[in-house]
């Protein structure tokens, strides 16, 4: 069994600080050891007293000087947001709620929907108890297990960046221990791969197609987040890999479960993954400061935020229009027209929200526009029904 070696550098390293307190009548000097989560020189002055703290980092290469965001969530944040793993989350102490937060349940639906699209494209799905049970297990594999694994390992390797952008997140804040995070990564990974093997046996496959899809997707998730490759350091490669993981892989799994994965579907879904690249760029805007400091070449860092906005919407819209053209050329004009009709509201919300302010309106934009994109995926799947 291959093992993943994960090295960590603690952001909250012990700092040595000298504290001098003086007034007009007496002087006393004391030196004490303190641990500051984010080392920042502090100088406080009053008319009769002066307090000076000088902090020295124990390892300049490992510690990250971070400035907490102005709108860090308060103790009264949303418990619902915490469970979904999105911004504005309540600061939680329950370990199981924190574990769930790390898996980001809000990111599961596209993977679950991809399985639905694959099953529809296979042409063999029947509304029987067995087929429904197979699809549910496939959704569990794709969503909670392997997407949860992907999100947890991404947060693990992003802990230095999160200490800058979102220092209140579970890992950089210390709400969950390193051992607990690593255990979660392994449990989700092995659980997802195990379910893939069960699905191959259940489907009667001579070749374990779903097992290898799960294994390949897990490897892609690892090299996306972890050094030395860390694909996310390159905005183009990293975001395309992310798009393929969210669109192509679950579709392939669903289609392989109920039918045969064909070359035309592989090409078409990889083309659709360019739209996934655009969706992934949406999430890069909120991390520009941290990405720049850590040397990650996300597209907003590499091209500037204004240009990256148009790259993002172009990737989403042009890809879908290309697929509509493909369907039209394949003699499916009604499906092509339906897809164009689903692109129109996406463009509307891009101008209403995303192009105005991609950071302020990212959640509103994704909640408004992405349902139309995933419906377009189903239209495409039905059009290519085998």
């Amino acid at each position: 069994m291959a093992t993943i070696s994960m090295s960590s550098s603690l952001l909250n390293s012990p700092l040595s600080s000298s504290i001098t307190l003086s007034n007009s009548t007496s002087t006393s000097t004391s030196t004490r050891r303190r641990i500051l989560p984010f080392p920042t020189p502090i100088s406080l002055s009053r008319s009769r007293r002066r307090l000076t703290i000088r902090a020295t980092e124990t390892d300049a290469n490992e510690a990250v000087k971070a400035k907490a965001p102005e709108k860090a969530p308060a103790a009264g944040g949303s418990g619902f947001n915490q469970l979904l793993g999105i911004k504005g989350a309540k600061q939680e102490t329950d370990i199981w709620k924190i574990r769930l937060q790390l898996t980001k349940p809000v990111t599961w639906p596209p993977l679950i929907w991809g399985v639905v699209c694959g099953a529809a494209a296979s042409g063999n799905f029947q509304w029987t108890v067995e087929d429904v049970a197979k699809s549910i297990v496939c959704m569990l594999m794709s969503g909670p297990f392997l997407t949860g694994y992907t999100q947890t390992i991404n947060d693990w390797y992003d802990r230095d960046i999160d200490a800058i952008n979102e220092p209140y997140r579970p890992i950089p804040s210390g709400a969950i221990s390193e051992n607990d995070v690593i255990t979660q990564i392994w449990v989700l990974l092995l659980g997802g791969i195990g379910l893939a093997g069960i699905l191959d046996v259940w489907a009667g496959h001579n070749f374990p197609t779903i097992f290898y899809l799960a294994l390949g997707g897990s490897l892609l998730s690892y090299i996306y987040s972890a050094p030395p490759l860390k694909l996310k350091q390159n905005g183009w490669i990293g975001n395309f890999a992310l798009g393929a993981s969210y669109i192509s892989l679950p579709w392939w799994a669903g289609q392989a479960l109920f039918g045969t994965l064909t070359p035309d579907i592989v090409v078409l879904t990889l083309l659709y993954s360019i739209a996934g690249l655009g969706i992934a760029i949406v999430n890069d805007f909120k991390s520009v400061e941290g990405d720049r400091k850590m040397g990650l070449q996300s597209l907003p860092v590499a091209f500037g935020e204004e240009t990256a906005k148009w790259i993002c919407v172009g990737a989403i819209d042009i890809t879908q229009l290309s697929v509509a053209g493909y369907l039209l050329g394949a003699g499916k004009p009604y499906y092509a027209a339906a897809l164009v009709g689903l692109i129109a509201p996406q463009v509307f919300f891009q101008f209403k929200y995303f192009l105005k302010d991609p950071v302020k309106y990212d959640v509103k934009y994704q909640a408004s526009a992405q349902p139309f994109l995933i419906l377009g995926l189903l239209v495409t799947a039905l059009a290519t029904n085998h």
Side-chain angles (χ1 to χ4, degrees), residues 27-47:
T27 301
S28 63
T29 302
S30 64
T31 301
R32 62 182 70 172
R33 301 287 295 180
R34 305 183 63 196
I35 296 179
L36 301 178
F38 300 100
T40 306
I42 303 173
S43 177
L44 302 174
S45 62
R46 298 179 61 184
S47 57

Side-chain angles (χ1 to χ4, degrees), residues 243-271:
S245 297
Y246 272 75
I247 293 176
S248 299
L249 286 172
W251 182 317
W252 295 350
Q255 185 156 344
L257 180 60
F258 294 103
T260 303
L261 187 58
T262 55
D264 60 322
I265 288 297
V266 171
V267 172
L268 187 62
T269 50
L270 285 175
L271 175 63

Side-chain angles (χ1 to χ4, degrees), residues 35-245:
I35 296 179
L36 301 178
F38 300 100
T40 306
I42 303 173
S43 177
L44 302 174
S45 62
R46 298 179 61 184
S47 57
R48 293 175 61 85
R49 295 186 176 186
R50 183 179 65 192
L51 176 65
T52 302
I53 301 175
R54 294 183 179 88
T56 303
E57 300 172 10
T58 59
D59 190 337
N61 292 326
E62 295 184 357
V64 178
K65 292 183 178 180
K67 180 181 178 182
E70 295 178 0
K71 296 182 179 180
S78 169
F80 182 69
N81 287 14
Q82 188 274 328
L83 292 176
L84 289 180
I86 58 179
K87 292 189 300 184
K90 176 184 177 181
Q91 298 296 90
E92 187 57 69
T93 57
D94 187 302
I95 186 62
W96 292 106
K97 289 183 178 180
I98 293 171
R99 286 189 182 281
L100 182 63
Q101 181 182 1
L102 283 176
T103 66
K104 294 186 179 69
V106 73
T107 64
W108 300 352
L111 284 293
I112 293 171
W113 190 255
V115 173
V116 172
C117 292
S122 74
N124 295 321
F125 177 83
Q126 302 294 326
W127 286 100
T128 63
V129 173
E130 183 179 10
D131 280 3
V132 170
K134 283 181 183 177
S135 63
I136 290 174
V137 173
C138 194
M139 290 173 186
L140 287 172
M141 175 198 73
S142 301
F145 279 91
L146 294 182
T147 304
Y149 153 78
T150 298
Q151 296 294 345
T152 305
I153 199 171
N154 185 64
D155 270 21
W156 171 255
Y157 284 107
D158 271 3
R159 60 195 185 279
D160 289 354
I161 298 175
D162 286 342
I164 297 172
N165 297 318
E166 300 174 280
Y168 40 81
R169 289 194 57 76
I171 296 176
S173 68
I176 185 170
S177 71
E178 295 179 11
N179 287 337
D180 284 340
V181 175
I182 294 171
T183 299
Q184 175 162 320
I185 289 169
W186 278 107
V187 168
L188 293 173
L189 172 61
L190 297 178
I193 292 175
L195 287 177
I198 291 171
L199 287 171
D200 277 317
V201 173
W202 200 350
H205 290 164
N206 294 323
F207 181 82
T209 307
I210 302 174
F211 174 83
Y212 280 109
L213 285 175
L215 194 63
S218 301
L219 176 62
L220 183 62
S221 297
Y222 177 72
I223 64 175
Y224 171 81
S225 300
L229 295 179
K230 198 161 188 169
L231 299 182
K232 68 185 299 179
Q233 292 182 119
N234 182 293
W236 294 108
I237 298 174
N239 285 330
F240 182 77
L242 194 61
S245 297

